[in-house]
Amino acid sequence: MRRKLSSSAEEDNEGSTANHSQPNHDEKKKTFSTAKYDRTRHSDTLDRRKVEKALAPAQLTPDTWTPPAKPPPSPKKSEVLPAGQTGEKMLDARARRNLRVRSPWSCSLLTLTATLSALLFMFYILHSFATRQLDSKGCDMYYTSSMFYHFADFDTEHTRFASKYSLHLYREIGYDEDSKVKGVPVLFIPGNAGSYKQARSLASETVRHYYNNVQQNKEALSAGATSIDFFSVDFNEDFTAFHGQTLLDQAEYLNDAVSYILSLYHDPRRSQRDPALPDPSSVILIGHSMGGVAARAMLTMPNYQSNSVNTIITISAPHARSPVSVDSDLVRTYQRINDYWREAYSQKWASDNHLWHVTLISIAGGSLDTTVPSDYASLASLVPSTHGFTVFTSSIPGMWSGADHIQTTWCVQLVRPIARSIFEALDVHRPSQTKTRAERMRVFKRWYLTGIEDTAEKMLLHKEPTTLLTLEDQSNSINPAGKRLVLRTLGKNDKPIAHVLPIPPQGTPGQKKFTFLSNLPLEQGADGGHLDVLFCSVLPLQSGHSAALFSMNIDLSDGRAGSTRLACKNAASDRIVLPASYRTSVHPFDKSPPFSYLQYELEDLGEHQFVAIVDKASGTTRAWAIAEFSDASESIVSVNTGLRRLVALGSRLKLPAERPLMTRFEIPALHSSLLAFKLRMGNQVCGENAELFTPLLRQYLSEPHESRYVVNVKEANVSLHGIAPFMPPPLPSQAANNGLSLQFWTDPTCGSSIDVSLIVDISGSMGKLVIRYRTVFAAFPLLIVALVLRKQFKLYDDSGVFLTFMESMDFCFRTSMPLLFLALTVLGISLAASSTANATGWSNWGTNATESAVDYTKSDLLLGSQDPIFWFLVPMFGLLSASFCVVINYAALGVVCLLQMPSRLLALRPKWRRHDPTKKTSMPAFAATSPKRRIVTASVLLLLVSTVIPYQFAYLVACIVQIATCVRAFRYAQENRSAANHNFYNYVHSILILMLCVLPINIPVLVVWIHNLAVHWLTPFSSHHNVLSIMPFILLVETLTSGQMIPRASVWLTYVTNALFFSLAVYAAVYGITFAYLLHHIVNGVAAWLVALHFSSSDLSLSGLTRILDGDDKDGDVKKRP
């Protein structure tokens, strides 16, 4: 049975708790705007126990409007009440509901405490990120005198993107100002919003190095070195990191540009190359940031010319994972590119691998790069070590410093080794213009890696003896076997002197290793340096034969008979440079001359019998040198302590008094990039002997190649880019991550032990979360909002009261949030344990591990953590996201209050008129508009979405309209204080919060579209014109503009609503970070369901749709709208 409130009762609903009703059997549609309620859905006379249970935490606040005290009238005889409900009970329930008309600003003590605590903790994390575990900046600025030639004839005949992109050739003023090509082509590819002018520093260095050094080096020219033609692409500062189609467009244009560049060398009018040399058939690519990803994408495009690219060097490029996941095309493009490269290198035969000839080098900036996590630069999951590797700038010899995202394009210490490695990899006599793949890899490793790696190739093994060393008894000093050689000063004698160390025979117990350290450089040649390190064997030849067999002769016998002749190899080519470490040293990149270090395994010296340290200094110098053979058991110490124990108690290490020159501590448990430690080292006490150098520390990982040096060690930050969240596992052929290693060089002559302590840096570890988990706040807030809306709809369907956002948040803090966070924490621990089991091989027990496929998506779920020790991250980010939602709520409420003030001032009336129960409001907040007008507006917007504008733009318009609806609803709720009006405002406000949380997912693509308009590129996005992706939002927003309150649902429909919001919450937590773009579509589905609920109270016909959009009665009367 239904009843209808009378006109006087409608007015009393604004000023009292009593309502008089009249029966009406003809009315089929009851609207919120006329305060007509369907007794089957909108009756306020609920069971008292349900109301009390739902409203138990409610308290009357000063902002709550209190109705005037007057005795409630008795129900009329004609009024029919529900069975079992008396008039007194009905009025008591309504009085309780009016207590819920609370201010939207109100907040419970629990919510306030949790929010403030979370905000303080967030500030603590951000402060730690900005102040703790920071690397020092050691880059010097590069200055150029640049000019660019624009290829205007590279037009639409060559590429369809000629009106958007352009190609340029770099030339250096004062060196080469000719526009004709004459060398080897190199193409620079800028990254996200990057400029083609970022190529200036690297291009300038190649020009200057060629004309100042290579051109005068006949040996380099004969080896195939020549000048370089440096090209650069102008992408009009496209936002490649936000849009997959833009990335594909750039890759297609780059292939067209490569074809055009190669054609220039065939045109005699454009080329000045030597006709005797073959024309280039490939181009060297250098990509910065997303330009490196575009370079890899080129090889997967249909217009790629086979073998036109064989060398790719990328700088700060996110290869392993997309930096953001807000665009479906970008996520799918990344997956397609990475799958193509993995599949190519998984082929058994080289003839089946289209990338067999390609070398890929990835250079990462390290912790200073806060634009793209340097973890994403790893190639371990894409390329085998035979074809590429990842190296951090702090590992590159001579640089020894991190670099931020932009510094990597102009850092002097970085562009110089890149330029020199390119010249050394050239072979102009080959059509590819480069050496073979194996030779290129050897060159790049020599220039970019430290040389201390276990896999480092020693040039000594591939050399022939070039030095004849002639000794006699008085000219040399033979060191006793097993004794360390220490030279505190050089040049004491007037003539050169050789210090000889016997090499232990093969098979000697202890796994001997030779190490050498000096503060002098090691150089080859007759006139090179003051110190030589030679590995020699006895040469049974006559003296007259020496000059013809050796290029260098060191005769220390003065022509006397009975001398010993040794055939020697100079070790200068295997020299490893280390940063100098003295008491005055502060940073490894200081301008002090570096140390020279040599390290050989005993197996590498099998064909030699002696090590000769030749002192060639002509006068006494303060130079020093140390050489020794040490046991591996003494120099390598494994710390087998579990991660939990290391985090809880730290580790205490000790360098004994009798120790080798170099000591290495291996800590396999420390492999996570989320943990930071503090290392403290005791003083090095040398007693009577002055120390030669202060302790030097190298902390490193074997994969990726990251080394960080600390000079004059007293206290050091320990944090590296090991196993990181969301990172795919390495290829089966890649070496496993062996954890952190700490390598110490200390003065072994001091004879005192040194204590070393390693403790976790909690603040520094918290700061590591920022760069790796900042995208959490694009997904986890939807988890919170979904729970809040679920609670609001559940209580609304049960009691007819739509709680404020903060009231529902308080309910969730007490019930659903802890339970869901607990479940997600258990899920995270299970996923991390599964990942750990796979890494240790337990998952392959009983199967053929070599045939098992690698799951490269196993870290995509939840927070991507691969260690159960980080179980606390789920509840922590959940609480932070809840506080973030509270901030969004109050920010939106503040904007609404601010925007409604002008209209409220215009409608200002005396208080007695505003609350006059005998008159209706003169200026309704929701004026009735023509349904045709709203239908036409929505249709035009949808038509534009399907043709011109992306649906992200329509979504932004919907958000603006929803804000306007909230402003009007808030004003009307303040002027006409009733539970119904507050219900409607709470409803539209919560929908606004939901839409605002989805807005960051749509903004990046919208930015790309606006940028394309700015550069006059009007080609529509093929993937962002799906009308169904925005239609539910438009229909919902248009329905709410009419003041139409959503009807209360039946029991089964309530279950569907709860399931939808719960599914949204779970998906946002489990998949939201990796597939953020799908959150828009899930919320879009929720909006479609809400629209269906709005339509459920009317006939499913065109006339019913018109009435709902219009908010009118069946007879067409226009009522006032809340």
Side-chain angles (χ1 to χ4, degrees):
M1 182 173 294
R2 298 186 175 101
R3 63 190 179 110
K4 178 179 179 182
L5 296 176
S6 64
S7 176
S8 60
E10 178 186 329
E11 297 169 3
D12 290 342
N13 189 42
E14 301 175 3
S16 66
T17 59
N19 293 301
H20 298 278
S21 302
Q22 298 294 337
N24 187 349
H25 301 283
D26 299 328
E27 186 67 21
K28 293 184 179 180
K29 171 176 170 292
K30 311 299 188 255
T31 65
F32 166 76
S33 58
T34 57
K36 301 168 185 175
Y37 294 88
D38 189 338
R39 293 302 303 170
T40 62
R41 294 180 178 267
H42 304 286
S43 175
D44 294 323
T45 57
L46 301 175
D47 181 71
R48 180 189 297 270
R49 287 173 297 177
K50 286 187 177 181
V51 178
E52 290 179 348
K53 182 180 179 180
L55 306 180
Q59 296 179 356
L60 187 62
T61 64
D63 295 328
T64 303
W65 171 70
T66 305
K70 64 178 181 179
S74 299
K76 295 183 179 181
K77 294 182 180 180
S78 60
E79 184 175 38
V80 181
L81 299 177
Q85 182 104 14
T86 64
E88 182 179 357
K89 289 184 178 182
M90 180 187 69
L91 295 176
D92 187 34
R94 288 180 177 174
R96 288 179 176 272
R97 193 185 75 169
N98 281 332
L99 293 179
R100 303 299 297 175
V101 184
R102 301 179 60 183
S103 169
W105 295 96
S106 61
C107 181
S108 68
L109 181 61
L110 173 63
T111 305
L112 179 63
T113 303
T115 301
L116 292 179
S117 301
L119 291 177
L120 289 175
F121 188 66
M122 185 180 297
F123 175 78
Y124 166 70
I125 293 177
L126 294 176
H127 182 266
S128 299
F129 172 71
T131 60
R132 302 298 296 267
Q133 292 281 335
L134 298 181
D135 292 342
S136 300
K137 296 183 178 181
C139 283
D140 296 329
M141 176 72 77
Y142 200 102
Y143 295 95
T144 68
S145 300
S146 58
M147 59 185 299
F148 287 92
Y149 286 100
H150 174 221
F151 291 97
D153 57 341
F154 185 44
D155 52 18
T156 53
E157 293 183 1
H158 298 85
T159 177
R160 65 189 182 99
F161 298 101
S163 61
K164 185 180 182 183
Y165 305 142
S166 57
L167 181 66
H168 302 265
L169 173 65
Y170 178 90
R171 287 300 185 229
E172 183 81 3
I173 299 176
Y175 287 89
D176 184 6
E177 302 180 15
D178 189 3
S179 63
K180 293 184 177 181
V181 296
K182 56 182 70 69
V184 175
V186 174
L187 178 61
F188 178 82
I189 309 172
N192 183 61
S195 170
Y196 71 98
K197 295 182 179 179
Q198 290 176 327
R200 289 175 297 186
S201 298
L202 186 55
S204 176
E205 177 62 23
T206 59
V207 173
R208 297 182 183 185
H209 181 64
Y210 172 76
Y211 285 100
N212 295 336
N213 300 285
V214 177
Q215 196 175 38
Q216 288 78 34
N217 190 335
K218 295 182 179 180
E219 182 179 353
L221 294 176
S222 61
T226 186
S227 62
I228 289 178
D229 296 319
F230 219 100
F231 297 86
S232 186
V233 178
D234 183 8
F235 284 139
N236 264 317
E237 301 181 0
D238 256 347
F239 293 96
T240 327
F242 299 156
H243 198 232
Q245 187 58 49
T246 300
L247 178 61
L248 294 176
D249 291 347
Q250 290 187 0
E252 180 182 343
Y253 177 82
L254 288 170
N255 281 323
D256 294 337
V258 167
S259 300
Y260 175 81
I261 291 172
L262 295 177
S263 69
L264 296 176
Y265 293 87
H266 299 282
D267 188 353
R269 299 170 300 174
R270 312 292 292 271
S271 175
Q272 289 183 348
R273 276 176 63 92
D274 186 352
L277 298 175
D279 292 328
S281 63
S282 67
V283 177
I284 298 174
L285 303 181
I286 300 178
H288 176 252
S289 186
M290 290 298 294
V293 181
R296 287 201 303 122
M298 291 173 58
L299 280 67
T300 68
M301 300 297 292
N303 67 331
Y304 170 66
Q305 181 178 333
S306 181
N307 297 327
S308 60
V309 173
N310 66 6
T311 303
I312 304 175
I313 300 175
T314 66
I315 307 171
S316 300
H319 292 292
R321 180 181 172 86
S322 171
V324 293
S325 58
V326 297
D327 178 54
S328 59
D329 283 349
L330 184 63
V331 175
R332 284 193 288 265
T333 298
Y334 253 89
Q335 183 177 359
R336 186 171 63 86
I337 295 172
N338 290 346
D339 288 346
Y340 180 88
W341 282 68
R342 289 176 184 135
E343 183 180 0
Y345 288 117
S346 66
Q347 301 300 319
K348 183 177 181 180
W349 305 106
S351 58
D352 299 328
N353 183 2
H354 303 295
L355 305 177
W356 183 256
H357 61 290
V358 178
T359 56
L360 175 61
I361 310 301
S362 177
I363 302 175
S367 300
L368 290 179
D369 189 349
T370 57
T371 302
V372 174
S374 291
D375 307 291
Y376 294 178
S378 174
L379 299 176
S381 64
L382 300 171
V383 179
S385 58
T386 55
H387 290 72
F389 58 86
T390 306
V391 62
F392 284 71
T393 56
S394 56
S395 302
I396 297 178
M399 183 170 182
W400 299 318
S401 170
D404 65 34
H405 202 66
I406 302 301
Q407 279 181 337
T408 52
T409 62
W410 51 256
C411 181
V412 172
Q413 292 87 340
L414 180 59
V415 299
R416 284 178 178 171
I418 292 177
R420 284 156 173 75
S421 67
I422 292 175
F423 275 108
E424 195 168 333
L426 297 181
D427 187 354
V428 74
H429 306 103
R430 293 165 52 92
S432 64
Q433 304 296 291
T434 59
K435 293 181 170 64
T436 63
R437 177 189 54 80
E439 290 175 319
R440 277 178 278 140
M441 287 296 298
R442 190 177 298 115
V443 168
F444 292 138
K445 287 181 178 180
R446 184 163 59 251
W447 278 101
Y448 300 147
L449 301 186
T450 63
I452 315 177
E453 294 80 11
D454 294 335
T455 58
E457 186 177 5
K458 301 298 183 182
M459 300 301 296
L460 185 73
L461 305 178
H462 307 284
K463 296 174 59 176
E464 295 295 330
T466 57
T467 302
L468 178 63
L469 178 62
T470 306
L471 305 176
E472 59 96 13
D473 293 340
Q474 285 75 26
S475 66
N476 65 86
S477 167
I478 298 180
N479 213 52
K483 185 178 179 181
R484 178 185 299 119
L485 173 65
V486 179
L487 303 176
R488 291 187 171 274
T489 57
L490 298 180
K492 288 183 178 180
N493 302 325
D494 296 334
K495 60 180 182 178
I497 184 172
H499 303 272
V500 180
L501 282 76
I503 297 177
Q506 297 295 318
T508 301
Q511 297 181 358
K512 296 291 184 178
K513 175 187 295 185
F514 173 77
T515 54
F516 169 86
L517 186 66
S518 176
N519 61 344
L520 285 180
L522 301 180
E523 300 177 5
Q524 289 182 317
D527 55 348
H530 301 291
L531 189 66
D532 284 342
V533 179
L534 307 175
F535 290 87
C536 307
S537 301
V538 176
L539 181 66
L541 292 178
Q542 299 297 324
S543 58
H545 298 165
S546 61
L549 296 177
F550 301 97
S551 60
M552 182 177 178
N553 184 8
I554 302 178
D555 190 353
L556 305 181
S557 65
D558 295 332
R560 299 177 184 179
S563 59
T564 302
R565 294 175 178 83
L566 300 177
C568 302
K569 298 179 182 180
N570 197 315
S573 58
D574 288 331
R575 177 201 179 199
I576 300 170
V577 292
L578 297 177
S581 181
Y582 302 108
R583 288 295 175 186
T584 57
S585 299
V586 179
H587 302 295
F589 48 81
D590 291 339
K591 305 305 179 183
S592 301
F595 291 169
S596 297
Y597 179 66
L598 294 174
Q599 176 178 297
Y600 293 97
E601 300 292 337
L602 187 60
E603 291 78 6
D604 299 333
L605 307 178
E607 62 181 69
H608 306 289
Q609 298 169 324
F610 301 97
V611 180
I613 313 298
V614 182
D615 176 7
K616 299 189 297 183
S618 58
T620 303
T621 65
R622 300 182 61 181
W624 50 265
I626 303 174
E628 67 177 12
F629 284 92
S630 59
D631 293 339
S633 59
E634 298 177 356
S635 59
I636 302 177
V637 180
S638 181
V639 182
N640 297 316
T641 305
L643 180 60
R644 291 167 180 78
R645 184 177 179 86
L646 285 172
V647 172
L649 304 177
S651 180
R652 300 291 185 270
L653 311 175
K654 191 180 186 68
L655 295 174
E658 296 295 329
R659 59 182 179 272
L661 171 65
M662 186 277 295
T663 305
R664 185 174 71 193
F665 293 96
E666 297 179 346
I667 314 176
L670 292 186
H671 51 68
S672 175
S673 62
L674 298 180
L675 289 176
F677 287 79
K678 276 288 186 182
L679 183 143
R680 292 181 174 86
M681 192 170 187
N683 293 327
Q684 177 177 269
V685 181
C686 291
E688 297 180 357
N689 297 325
E691 63 182 2
L692 299 178
F693 63 97
T694 55
L696 171 65
L697 167 64
R698 172 186 174 235
Q699 46 180 301
Y700 71 94
L701 294 173
S702 57
E703 179 60 41
H705 296 289
E706 180 182 16
S707 298
R708 294 175 61 189
Y709 292 92
V710 183
V711 297
N712 192 18
V713 186
K714 295 176 183 175
E715 184 175 291
N717 295 324
V718 177
S719 64
L720 294 171
H721 295 77
I723 298 178
F726 307 110
M727 288 293 293
L731 294 174
S733 60
Q734 289 282 32
N737 191 318
N738 297 322
L740 174 70
S741 294
L742 302 175
Q743 197 168 8
F744 293 92
W745 287 271
T746 56
D747 189 346
T749 65
C750 290
S752 61
S753 62
I754 303 177
D755 294 326
V756 180
S757 65
L758 189 68
I759 59 174
V760 67
D761 183 1
I762 297 178
S763 298
S765 300
M766 289 299 169
K768 298 296 179 182
L769 300 176
V770 176
I771 186 65
R772 294 171 175 88
Y773 282 117
R774 54 188 174 182
T775 56
V776 165
F777 294 100
F780 264 50
L782 274 172
L783 158 68
I784 305 300
V785 174
L787 293 179
V788 170
L789 279 165
R790 173 180 171 272
K791 178 63 68 174
Q792 286 177 308
F793 275 94
K794 185 176 185 301
L795 291 180
Y796 173 67
D797 290 335
D798 287 345
S799 64
V801 176
F802 205 97
L803 302 179
T804 65
F805 188 86
M806 293 307 301
E807 285 180 305
S808 183
M809 177 75 76
D810 180 61
F811 273 112
C812 293
F813 267 124
R814 299 174 187 273
T815 55
S816 56
M817 277 189 201
L819 294 177
L820 185 57
F821 290 161
L822 177 61
L824 291 175
T825 301
V826 173
L827 176 62
I829 294 175
S830 175
L831 293 174
S834 175
S835 177
T836 304
N838 291 337
T840 55
W842 285 103
S843 62
N844 295 327
W845 184 82
T847 63
N848 188 351
T850 60
E851 297 179 358
S852 60
V854 179
D855 182 11
Y856 294 103
T857 63
K858 66 179 183 179
S859 299
D860 290 346
L861 303 182
L862 209 58
L863 294 179
S865 176
Q866 301 183 26
D867 200 306
I869 197 174
F870 300 108
W871 62 267
F872 62 90
L873 292 179
V874 171
M876 185 189 77
F877 281 116
L879 183 60
L880 293 177
S881 298
S883 67
F884 184 70
C885 290
V886 172
V887 172
I888 292 177
N889 170 69
Y890 282 119
L893 190 57
V895 171
V896 168
C897 291
L898 186 64
L899 293 178
Q900 66 91 29
M901 288 179 63
S903 61
R904 192 169 185 178
L905 292 176
L906 293 176
L908 192 61
R909 291 170 293 158
K911 185 176 181 181
W912 64 271
R913 290 192 59 189
R914 282 179 298 186
H915 296 282
D916 185 2
T918 63
K919 295 184 178 181
K920 294 185 179 181
T921 305
S922 60
M923 292 185 63
F926 290 86
T929 57
S930 170
K932 294 183 179 179
R933 180 177 178 182
R934 291 199 295 274
I935 292 176
V936 169
T937 301
S939 300
V940 170
L941 190 58
L942 294 175
L943 178 62
L944 291 176
V945 168
S946 64
T947 55
V948 179
I949 65 175
Y951 69 79
Q952 288 84 357
F953 180 82
Y955 184 83
L956 178 62
V957 173
C959 289
I960 296 174
V961 174
Q962 185 65 14
I963 292 175
T965 302
C966 287
V967 170
R968 292 185 291 166
F970 182 79
R971 174 193 159 199
Y972 195 76
Q974 294 296 312
E975 294 180 351
N976 304 275
R977 294 179 178 272
S978 69
N981 295 332
H982 280 272
N983 278 353
F984 181 71
Y985 171 71
N986 295 338
Y987 170 50
V988 297
H989 179 79
S990 296
I991 295 299
L992 174 63
I993 299 300
L994 178 65
M995 296 178 67
L996 290 179
C997 288
V998 180
L999 186 60
I1001 299 174
N1002 293 288
I1003 286 297
V1005 175
L1006 184 60
V1007 169
V1008 175
W1009 179 70
I1010 295 175
H1011 175 268
N1012 284 349
L1013 292 181
V1015 298
H1016 307 291
W1017 182 255
L1018 305 180
T1019 302
F1021 296 160
S1022 59
S1023 58
H1024 299 289
H1025 295 279
N1026 188 352
V1027 174
L1028 296 180
S1029 297
I1030 193 61
M1031 180 184 292
F1033 284 113
I1034 294 178
L1035 293 178
L1036 179 61
V1037 169
E1038 282 292 330
T1039 301
L1040 296 180
T1041 57
S1042 66
Q1044 178 70 30
M1045 181 61 182
I1046 190 170
R1048 290 165 60 192
S1050 62
V1051 176
W1052 293 107
L1053 296 182
T1054 300
Y1055 290 156
V1056 175
T1057 304
N1058 287 341
L1060 284 176
F1061 282 115
F1062 186 77
S1063 300
L1064 172 60
V1066 173
Y1067 183 90
V1070 178
Y1071 294 98
I1073 300 176
T1074 302
F1075 304 101
Y1077 65 91
L1078 283 176
L1079 291 174
H1080 170 92
H1081 301 292
I1082 296 177
V1083 177
N1084 188 53
V1086 173
W1089 174 251
L1090 296 180
V1091 171
L1093 289 181
H1094 276 281
F1095 287 179
S1096 65
S1097 61
S1098 64
D1099 296 333
L1100 294 178
S1101 63
L1102 183 59
S1103 59
L1105 176 61
T1106 302
R1107 287 199 304 272
I1108 283 194
L1109 290 177
D1110 191 26
D1112 295 341
D1113 285 338
K1114 185 176 180 179
D1115 56 3
D1117 294 336
V1118 178
K1119 311 295 183 182
K1120 75 173 183 179
R1121 290 172 170 76

